[in-house]
Amino acid sequence: MPAATKPAPHPLDTFFSPSSIALIGASRDPDKIPGRLLSMLRKKSLSGQDLPDQSELRRTRRTEMLSLDRRCREAPIDLAIVIIPARAVLGALEQCADTGVKNAVIISSGFAEEAGDSTAMQDAIVALAKRTGMRISGPNAEGFYSEAQHVAATFSPHGRRQAGPG
């Protein structure tokens, strides 16, 4: 009998089961959404990976980027979670695309729901996704939680309950 072949990876595997995550807009303040999101990522995501300590977070905060997998510096990031002011999102996504980021979740708000120029910013994100092939959820996304894949890319209270004790 021939050896069993491993099924081909699905195009969304790197989105829902990333081996590397970057948080753009990191915060240590647990009362703010970026801080809650960082807490969820630290508690539940990338099991067994080396997460940065507080000093690394302080150094990277100036650039509003935090890599949760030390290998992100050498290899492409599978998933970027974006939680910065709307006016800065497109530029951050352009940088992500230039460095090979495959997927993004935009938690930031302030786009088409506000009409006017904000709608144009959202249209530009759609154009970037089409041009680069980056898969993007959002803007105004809550993220996602996957117990099976060990990914808590959300600030949702539901995800915190599922993630277990503090």
Side-chain angles (χ1 to χ4, degrees):
M1 290 189 118
T5 58
K6 186 177 178 181
H10 189 277
L12 290 176
D13 284 349
T14 57
F15 191 100
F16 291 108
S17 186
S19 60
S20 54
I21 298 173
L23 177 57
I24 302 171
S27 170
R28 289 173 290 164
D29 185 343
D31 294 328
K32 294 184 178 180
I33 289 176
R36 284 185 277 174
L37 200 132
L38 176 60
S39 176
M40 286 295 297
L41 284 166
R42 283 180 181 258
K43 286 180 188 175
K44 200 60 182 169
S45 295
L46 301 175
S47 296
Q49 297 295 331
D50 239 355
L51 298 184
D53 60 22
Q54 294 298 338
S55 61
E56 187 169 353
L57 177 57
R58 273 194 302 278
R59 283 196 312 273
T60 58
R61 178 63 177 111
R62 279 184 246 128
T63 61
E64 296 187 307
M65 181 123 171
L66 167 68
S67 286
L68 291 179
D69 179 345
R70 295 181 195 285
R71 293 174 298 156
C72 290
R73 295 184 191 101
E74 295 89 33
I77 296 167
D78 286 338
L79 177 66
I81 303 170
V82 182
I83 189 161
I84 55 179
R87 67 187 178 283
V89 169
L90 183 60
L93 290 174
E94 291 280 2
Q95 287 180 322
C96 286
D98 290 347
T99 59
V101 175
K102 299 171 183 125
N103 311 285
V105 173
I106 304 170
I107 304 225
S108 307
S109 62
F111 293 90
E113 78 276 10
E114 294 189 7
D117 291 340
S118 300
T119 301
M121 287 190 305
Q122 186 165 319
D123 292 342
I125 290 170
V126 171
L128 176 136
K130 288 179 180 177
R131 185 179 80 248
T132 65
M134 184 186 297
R135 290 173 186 86
I136 300 175
S137 171
N140 278 323
E142 193 171 300
F144 66 92
Y145 177 80
S146 172
E147 178 68 31
Q149 304 304 328
H150 305 289
V151 178
T154 184
F155 59 91
S156 169
H158 179 343
R160 278 198 304 268
R161 281 195 302 273
Q162 296 295 324

